[in-house]
Amino acid sequence: MEKVVIVGGGYAGIFALRELVKNKNIKITLIDKHTYHNLQPEVYELIANNSNFADVTIDLTTLVQGFEHDHLDFKNLKVRKIDQENKKIYTEEQETVEFDYLILAAGTRTFFPPSIPGLNNADDIKKLHRAITFKQSFEKQLFEKIRNEARECDDTHIIVVGAGLSGVEIAAEMAHYSNKFFKRGKFSCDNLKISLISSSSSILPGLKKELINISQKRLKDLGINVITGIKLERVEDGYCYFTNGTKINHSFVVFTGGIEASTISSEIDNIEKNSKGQIIVNEFMQTKNYENIFAIGDIAEIRNKKDEIMPPNVTIAKISGTNAGKNLLRLIDSKPLIKCDPKLDGILIALGGKFAAGDIYGVLTVKGRLAYEIKKYVFSSYRAPLLRILKKGYSKLKKL
């Protein structure tokens, strides 16, 4: 029986898994250092108290139980080394997992440039446990302001460094939540400030001008101070120092300024990678030197038919994961492989509360409540099938 291993239980890994389980005659092992799949685009709702931990996670043990496959297993392990020649995966837990075919889907992490001193103390909300810690710190800051308002009303200043999608969304959600908090309680000490820093000349670099303008206006309406064209130089003594010589005081800093591949990509030799550590794949999602090893989602450098590098997001994770799953099964059956031509359906940006902005298929721009409802629908259409599988898995576990 052929042994197939998926490393990474995120979006791409789960889409690959949904294809692989169609073949009942292979042994499938899903490996992840976490016990849950983090629904990253919804973490901002968690921070803003619009959802809870259960809403933004999928339990991998329960999910695996829910698939109709007799040879499927989940292992909560941290990969230490991949020996592609001998087809073995070594883990920190001293367990060795063998494979005939391997899918790498471990994603990316926030890149903290070592050239910026003090940045290691910034919050990285791509990691769920850090996002929860940040949420608690944020709420504690609000509580301290209310508790001390009779004696002092010190500014609370949150600095979000990086004005791409992640930075804009987290700044907007925090601003909306704090505005609603102070308005509801009629608190006098409502001087919380949020600054969004972009090293580019605008926010959301690379997106359509119309989307940028909508987002810029929304951020301004929320009271967010947007500063463009400056770079963070260092963080120390309660201040952020910038390359133009200015310094800004802060209560805490959120850094969203770039990504790099999961450390797993560095644990495998003789595979071509780009400067971010992402694995370069061909049009079938295979690594260039090993046809039995695939890389998908954020950990891979994925190109379309025009040879354009695709941005790391859920849509590309879905397309690449599904394609790799199909191709791996076709490889086992000695069938011709299917080329992957990833395309973006559009983009949707959460801008605090029930307000969003989006570009649909490059032809329609939407904003406000309509865009928010479309975003909700897109998320639920992904989560709903997994919830059905979870329900089956939960029933099985309760009978054990």
Side-chain angles (χ1 to χ4, degrees):
M1 183 176 285
E2 302 282 10
K3 298 184 288 292
V4 179
V5 175
I6 304 172
V7 176
Y11 286 99
I14 287 177
F15 275 110
L17 178 60
R18 290 171 69 175
E19 292 298 322
L20 293 174
V21 294
K22 295 174 182 177
N23 186 330
K24 309 300 181 185
N25 299 313
I26 59 175
K27 176 177 170 53
I28 307 168
T29 303
L30 173 65
I31 298 176
D32 199 292
K33 64 180 179 181
H34 300 299
T35 58
Y36 54 82
H37 162 33
N38 175 14
L39 303 172
Q40 177 63 38
E42 302 307 307
V43 168
Y44 313 118
E45 295 256 323
L46 172 71
I47 292 170
N49 271 331
N50 294 325
S51 62
N52 59 44
F53 178 80
D55 296 323
V56 298
T57 57
I58 297 290
D59 185 78
L60 293 175
T61 300
T62 310
L63 183 73
V64 163
Q65 285 290 324
F67 283 106
E68 300 294 332
H69 198 286
D70 294 332
H71 310 290
L72 171 61
D73 190 23
F74 169 63
K75 292 182 180 291
N76 179 212
L77 301 170
K78 187 171 184 179
V79 173
R80 181 171 57 84
K81 186 70 178 175
I82 298 173
D83 181 351
Q84 65 270 37
E85 300 296 340
N86 295 305
K87 300 179 181 178
K88 291 182 179 181
I89 298 171
Y90 301 97
T91 68
E92 283 193 1
E93 294 79 5
Q94 305 302 312
E95 182 172 345
T96 302
V97 182
E98 297 183 350
F99 66 89
D100 296 303
Y101 299 88
L102 174 63
I103 295 180
L104 297 170
T108 57
R109 56 183 181 166
T110 301
F111 174 61
F112 290 90
S115 59
I116 304 178
L119 198 55
N120 56 312
N121 295 320
D123 287 283
D124 176 12
I125 57 174
K126 280 182 72 73
K127 296 177 180 177
L128 188 56
H129 70 283
R130 293 286 293 272
I132 291 172
T133 300
F134 172 76
K135 175 180 183 292
Q136 293 167 341
S137 299
F138 180 41
E139 291 175 339
K140 185 179 179 182
Q141 288 278 349
L142 296 179
F143 171 71
E144 291 294 335
K145 291 178 73 64
I146 304 310
R147 187 174 69 168
N148 298 327
E149 68 177 348
R151 290 182 283 110
E152 57 186 351
C153 196
D154 291 339
D155 286 351
T156 297
H157 194 179
I158 300 168
I159 295 181
V160 180
V161 179
L165 278 173
S166 295
V168 166
E169 290 190 328
I170 184 59
E173 290 293 357
M174 285 192 301
H176 179 267
Y177 173 67
S178 60
N179 290 343
K180 185 172 65 173
F181 172 84
F182 288 115
K183 184 177 180 180
R184 181 181 296 173
K186 306 295 189 294
F187 300 113
S188 61
C189 198
D190 63 348
N191 59 348
L192 182 142
K193 296 192 297 185
I194 297 174
S195 291
L196 177 64
I197 311 296
S198 174
S199 60
S200 300
S201 58
S202 75
I203 63 170
L204 301 170
L207 296 191
K208 288 173 61 174
K209 185 66 176 176
E210 192 173 359
L211 271 184
I212 293 173
N213 291 340
I214 293 169
S215 302
Q216 187 91 34
K217 183 180 184 307
R218 174 63 174 175
L219 295 177
K220 182 179 179 181
D221 291 344
L222 289 169
I224 296 170
N225 181 32
V226 178
I227 304 172
T228 60
I230 63 171
K231 293 182 179 181
L232 182 64
E233 190 173 67
R234 67 185 190 278
V235 181
E236 62 181 39
D237 303 325
Y239 286 90
C240 286
Y241 295 82
F242 296 92
T243 50
N244 65 349
T246 63
K247 68 176 183 178
I248 303 174
N249 69 301
H250 69 83
S251 303
F252 44 91
V253 180
V254 180
F255 187 77
T256 66
I259 62 166
E260 62 180 348
S262 163
T263 53
I264 288 174
S265 75
S266 64
E267 304 303 334
I268 184 166
D269 300 324
N270 301 321
I271 284 182
E272 191 177 353
K273 302 156 197 165
N274 65 17
S275 60
K276 296 178 181 178
Q278 292 171 300
I279 297 167
I280 296 173
V281 294
N282 63 16
E283 64 268 38
F284 307 117
M285 298 297 104
Q286 295 167 301
T287 57
K288 292 193 174 180
N289 293 335
Y290 299 91
E291 69 169 12
N292 66 320
I293 299 179
F294 297 74
I296 55 176
D298 294 0
I299 201 172
E301 181 186 285
I302 299 170
R303 295 175 180 264
N304 62 14
K305 286 183 178 178
K306 297 178 181 178
D307 203 36
E308 299 167 330
I309 297 176
M310 304 306 293
N313 62 25
V314 176
T315 299
I316 304 305
K318 174 183 177 180
I319 293 170
S320 62
T322 301
N323 179 264
K326 290 179 183 293
N327 278 336
L328 193 152
L329 295 181
R330 295 178 76 86
L331 190 62
I332 290 174
D333 294 335
S334 300
K335 293 180 179 179
L337 303 189
I338 303 167
K339 290 184 179 181
C340 184
D341 182 23
K343 296 175 182 175
L344 290 175
D345 297 335
I347 190 167
L348 290 161
I349 310 164
L351 291 169
K354 295 182 179 180
F355 191 104
D359 173 59
I360 311 300
Y361 295 108
V363 297
L364 178 64
T365 300
V366 291
K367 66 177 182 178
R369 182 65 180 265
L370 174 61
Y372 171 79
E373 294 297 340
I374 294 173
K375 194 174 191 301
K376 267 186 66 176
Y377 172 77
V378 170
F379 173 64
S380 64
S381 66
Y382 169 74
R383 192 167 179 261
L386 295 185
L387 291 179
R388 290 193 288 271
I389 299 169
L390 277 177
K391 187 176 181 180
K392 289 181 184 177
Y394 190 68
S395 296
K396 284 184 182 180
L397 289 171
K398 294 294 282 186
K399 292 176 183 178
L400 294 178

